Amino acid sequence: MSASPQEADNKIRQAIDRENPSTVVAFEGVAGKAVFAIAVAFSLFQIWTAAFNPLSSMVVRSVHVGFLLLMTFTLFGFRQEAERRSVPWYDWLLGLGAFALGLYHYVFEVDLIQRAGDPNTTDLIVGALTIALVFEAARRIMGWALPIMCGVFIPYALFGRHLPFGLAHRGYDVDQVIDNLYLSTEGIYGTPTFVSATFIFLFILFGAFLERAGMIKLFNDVSLGLVGHAKGGPAKVAVISSGFMGTINGSGVANVLTTGQFTIPLMMRFGYRPAFAGAVEATASMGGQIMPPVMGAAAFIMAETIGVPFSDIAIAAAIPAILYFGSAFWMVHLEAGKNNLVGLPKDQCPSVLSALKESWYLILPLAALVYLLFSGFTPLFAGVIGIALTVALILGTRIVGFIGPTVLRVGFWVVLGLIAAALWRMGLRTEHLAFAVVGLLVLPCLALKGGRETLALLVQSLADGAKNAVGVGVACALVGVLIGILTLTGLASSFASTIMDLSGGNLLVALLLTMLACIVLGTGLPTTANYIITAAIAAPALLQMGVPLIVSHMFVFYFGIMADLTPPVALAALAASSICRAGHMEIGWIATRVAMAGYVVPFMAVYDPALMLQTDDPLAVAYVLFKALISIGLWGAATIGYFWTPMNWAERVFAAAAAFLFVLSLPVTDEAGFVMTAAFLLWQRHRLRRLGRTSAPA
């Protein structure tokens, strides 16, 4: 018996809520106010610790996980399918108990340091309870896949001496396993949780503030003004707008639910079939995770894991990100040409200059963030300053709205700058100075008309940021179990050897195996968890085969993202289906075709690392970029079945073969690819003339 439309909608809604908890319907009454207050307190705690650094790193991680567990048990019920209108008493008990356990490292910090390596009974009980609660929290948010995958490693650690040859190890006692997973920085409080408690949270919060300030409208207006009137304009607007959103928001599902509410209906209104409209938005939104400067949460974990500045990760991702969005743009252009889809009337498209004139100041925090990241400052410092600047601009804009002449408005900002300079001369640290300025701006907003509404918007942004951080944070804590056991037992090196043995030393086979592993894991895991696991297991094998460090990690990162587009789960497609009302499997398969560059570019980067700027030779970068553009052009034509003219299957196979040759970057393959490309273009030109046209359509 098939599910009713209402049941299908509920299933979609629940899946989206688990990935993007800020969309969860607010609880009513006391429970709603309490959950809202907890979310705000969580964000304030993270800002406080980031700006003032009052606590040790281990305590910050522990309290961070305590907040995550408290929010999870209040937001998500024991049964995922159950409709949740309030928080039952037992979930309050679990949540508050978990938060109390999160304070254990704070209360007994000195004692735990003194008896490091020799935990007492209380330490072991508290550790076991905390680990169990992390597993249950992850199950509520993500289902059974990730908890089971991580859970099997615990008995592996306990009974290693009884396992067959190849998997066997010396075995560890229960107290050693709990000590490793709870009392060290190798388990649930490992690197992923550290990054979640610092960089990831702040950048999620940064995006939440900018979204509430009106950045989505600015991006949509600019995109409409740039390409809304072009052939297939609505779909091109979706690509560009989602690319802009990716600069401030690293969550693909969140991007679908924000920009998609505008772009998907617009595409459908101008002739795109619902499934294709949803696929375009899903593809473009997932690209946000590879779009600098913010990128996805996994990018921050990557930087910390391989020990490079985050700016190096952003630089390596720059060209692939442009190619990804360029590919999606090319796909929708070809689809528009194939079906003769037009754009919006010119007079219905907003002016780019007017949009920028109205909201240009919203770009300043993003510009400051980019400057700080690429000037050698830490992501933690950049995130704090970015948030403070965003809040100051929101508050200051409200205040200057009551000041009449332009001269006085400029004077207001000049005086504010002079006050900041005076405080800096008094010796205040930059982050302390930033929040002192914010405090000065809060006071007049309390008295001005509309000022309280602005403050309420900021408080709501704090709550949104905390909710959006829950899924990523819990995944980071749970994956720490797997990473801790891999480290304890040395299993990661065994996995790397297995991949090399299966591939027979062939790099292409190893890449294909790694890609399949990432996509299969992605059917049940969020992107961040997928990256952490595959980076621990598969990336070392690629590194041993001569792939540069950043490129090997970026390879698994990219395919972890692509898993959210690839059926059967395709969570981004699921989110899009809730808007376009098409089957999410159909959307997923179309998105897989539209995002073809996401599958091709990582392979090209492995064979020619210049694509990720891992060279000082600008000519090498220009050459590989030129090849990539040709390859993407051919992939697009083969996928859509249209270039200058409609293509039959033989032509599509020929174009795909030519594109594949550019991926390999082996001797003679480039030359063969260029020859096949020239033949393809000449044939298409011949076909165009036979159809009686004189020039290729724009």
Side-chain angles (χ1 to χ4, degrees):
M1 183 178 177
S2 61
S4 67
Q6 183 62 40
E7 290 173 339
D9 286 348
N10 289 339
K11 182 179 179 181
I12 292 172
R13 187 77 258 161
Q14 289 157 11
I16 294 170
D17 287 346
R18 291 196 297 272
E19 176 74 11
N20 193 51
S22 70
T23 64
V24 174
V25 176
F27 302 132
E28 298 177 355
V30 176
K33 294 178 181 178
V35 172
F36 183 84
I38 291 168
V40 173
F42 189 11
S43 289
L44 291 176
F45 167 78
Q46 295 293 161
I47 294 173
W48 174 60
T49 55
F52 298 97
N53 197 26
L55 303 173
S56 68
S57 176
M58 190 66 174
V59 171
V60 172
R61 302 181 202 196
S62 178
V63 177
H64 176 76
V65 172
F67 265 118
L68 290 171
L69 296 177
L70 173 56
M71 292 200 64
T72 300
F73 289 124
T74 53
L75 287 173
F76 302 99
F78 181 78
R79 295 182 179 178
Q80 292 180 351
E81 70 273 8
E83 190 173 4
R84 195 164 174 85
R85 293 295 182 186
S86 187
V87 184
W89 66 268
Y90 51 84
D91 278 342
W92 277 118
L93 183 63
L94 278 175
L96 292 172
F99 182 74
L101 294 177
L103 298 175
Y104 189 76
H105 279 274
Y106 173 69
V107 175
F108 300 103
E109 182 177 14
V110 175
D111 296 333
L112 290 172
I113 292 173
Q114 291 176 344
R115 58 174 180 264
D118 185 25
N120 61 27
T121 303
T122 304
D123 297 339
L124 297 176
I125 293 173
V126 171
L129 288 173
T130 303
I131 294 168
L133 288 169
V134 168
F135 271 90
E136 170 59 13
R139 184 199 65 80
R140 292 191 180 201
I141 298 175
M142 290 164 275
W144 284 102
L146 185 59
I148 290 175
M149 184 175 296
C150 295
V152 297
F153 282 85
I154 294 179
Y156 171 77
L158 296 173
F159 305 111
R161 63 175 61 92
H162 304 295
L163 295 174
F165 179 78
L167 291 175
H169 59 87
R170 61 179 287 263
Y172 297 88
D173 295 331
V174 173
D175 58 339
Q176 292 175 296
V177 173
I178 295 176
D179 182 40
N180 179 262
L181 297 183
Y182 177 70
L183 296 172
S184 76
T185 55
E186 297 293 337
I188 61 174
Y189 301 132
T191 298
T193 296
F194 165 71
V195 178
S196 172
T198 50
F199 315 148
I200 293 174
F201 194 100
L202 289 181
F203 279 77
I204 289 175
L205 197 56
F206 174 74
F209 277 117
L210 280 179
E211 286 182 33
R212 287 278 177 177
M215 195 62 131
I216 297 175
K217 182 179 183 302
L218 174 61
F219 286 156
N220 285 340
D221 286 349
V222 170
S223 302
L224 273 170
L226 288 173
V227 296
H229 59 280
K231 177 184 291 186
K236 293 176 180 177
V237 168
V239 174
I240 293 180
S241 182
S242 295
F244 284 151
M245 275 296 294
T247 62
I248 66 168
N249 188 332
S251 170
V253 172
N255 288 353
V256 172
L257 296 173
T258 50
T259 58
Q261 297 287 351
F262 167 74
T263 58
I264 291 176
L266 186 66
M267 283 186 272
M268 292 165 60
R269 181 157 62 93
F270 279 84
Y272 284 94
R273 62 190 192 276
F276 190 88
V280 169
E281 182 56 49
T283 302
S285 293
M286 288 309 300
Q289 295 193 61
I290 60 173
M291 175 59 77
V294 174
M295 304 178 66
F300 295 96
I301 296 173
M302 186 194 307
E304 195 68 24
T305 300
I306 64 179
V308 301
F310 178 76
S311 57
D312 287 1
I313 303 296
I315 289 171
I319 291 179
I322 294 170
L323 291 174
Y324 180 94
F325 283 99
S327 170
F329 191 92
W330 174 240
M331 293 287 193
V332 299
H333 178 77
L334 292 177
E335 179 77 7
K338 181 179 179 180
N339 296 293
N340 197 28
L341 302 176
V342 299
L344 283 74
K346 186 81 171 179
D347 57 2
Q348 292 185 20
C349 297
S351 166
V352 175
L353 292 178
S354 297
L356 291 174
K357 183 179 179 181
E358 179 183 351
S359 303
W360 64 271
Y361 61 90
L362 293 176
I363 301 175
L364 293 178
L366 189 60
L369 187 74
V370 172
Y371 171 77
L372 292 172
L373 286 174
F374 287 86
S375 297
F377 293 95
T378 66
L380 188 66
F381 179 82
V384 169
I385 299 303
I387 289 172
L389 180 57
T390 305
V391 174
L393 284 171
I394 293 172
L395 294 173
T397 303
R398 169 59 65 181
I399 294 171
V400 299
F402 292 91
I403 302 175
T406 303
V407 174
L408 293 179
R409 295 185 180 188
V410 174
F412 168 82
W413 292 110
V414 171
V415 170
L416 188 64
L418 292 174
I419 292 174
L423 292 173
W424 184 73
R425 286 181 174 275
M426 291 170 58
L428 262 68
R429 287 175 50 184
T430 306
E431 51 267 60
H432 301 174
L433 165 64
F435 285 102
V437 172
V438 169
L440 290 174
L441 294 173
V442 167
L443 295 176
C445 281
L446 290 171
L448 293 173
K449 181 181 179 182
R452 292 180 183 270
E453 287 79 0
T454 301
L455 294 175
L457 178 145
L458 296 177
V459 174
Q460 185 64 56
S461 299
L462 291 171
D464 286 348
K467 290 179 180 179
N468 285 337
V470 169
V472 173
V474 170
C476 287
L478 182 58
V479 172
V481 173
L482 186 148
I483 302 301
I485 299 299
L486 288 177
T487 304
L488 188 66
T489 62
L491 185 61
S493 59
S494 299
F495 276 121
S497 299
T498 301
I499 291 174
M500 293 187 68
D501 291 341
L502 289 174
S503 66
N506 186 297
L507 180 58
L508 180 59
V509 175
L511 293 173
L512 291 172
L513 289 173
T514 303
M515 177 190 75
L516 290 174
C518 293
I519 291 176
V520 170
L521 284 174
T523 61
L525 307 184
T527 303
T528 304
N530 192 343
Y531 163 73
I532 296 170
I533 294 172
T534 50
I537 294 173
L542 300 181
L543 186 63
Q544 290 181 35
M545 299 181 79
V547 180
L549 183 62
I550 287 183
V551 177
S552 62
H553 279 259
M554 289 291 283
F555 186 88
V556 297
F557 174 47
Y558 271 73
F559 281 108
I561 292 169
M562 299 313 296
D564 268 356
L565 289 176
T566 308
V569 176
L571 196 56
L574 189 66
S577 72
S578 67
I579 302 172
C580 68
R581 298 298 172 185
H584 102 272
M585 288 289 285
E586 182 185 5
I587 295 172
W589 288 119
I590 296 173
T592 301
R593 289 162 38 208
V594 174
M596 189 56 68
Y599 297 87
V600 174
V601 169
F603 282 91
M604 296 189 71
V606 168
Y607 283 101
D608 195 341
L611 193 61
M612 290 188 178
L613 298 176
Q614 303 302 297
T615 179
D616 295 327
D617 184 359
L619 292 178
V621 174
Y623 176 67
V624 72
L625 178 59
F626 177 65
K627 284 198 310 176
L629 290 172
I630 295 176
S631 182
I632 286 172
L634 294 169
W635 280 119
T639 300
I640 300 298
Y642 183 87
F643 190 71
W644 288 329
T645 66
M647 297 164 56
N648 58 37
W649 278 105
E651 293 168 322
R652 295 169 76 169
V653 170
F654 185 87
F660 181 73
L661 289 174
F662 287 116
V663 174
L664 294 178
S665 292
L666 299 175
V668 186
T669 55
D670 284 359
E671 290 79 356
F674 284 123
V675 171
M676 292 180 69
T677 301
F680 173 77
L681 293 176
L682 288 172
W683 174 251
Q684 278 287 300
R685 191 71 182 177
H686 173 68
R687 288 277 307 275
L688 191 65
R689 288 176 176 172
R690 285 181 59 187
L691 292 174
R693 302 177 190 173
T694 57
S695 61

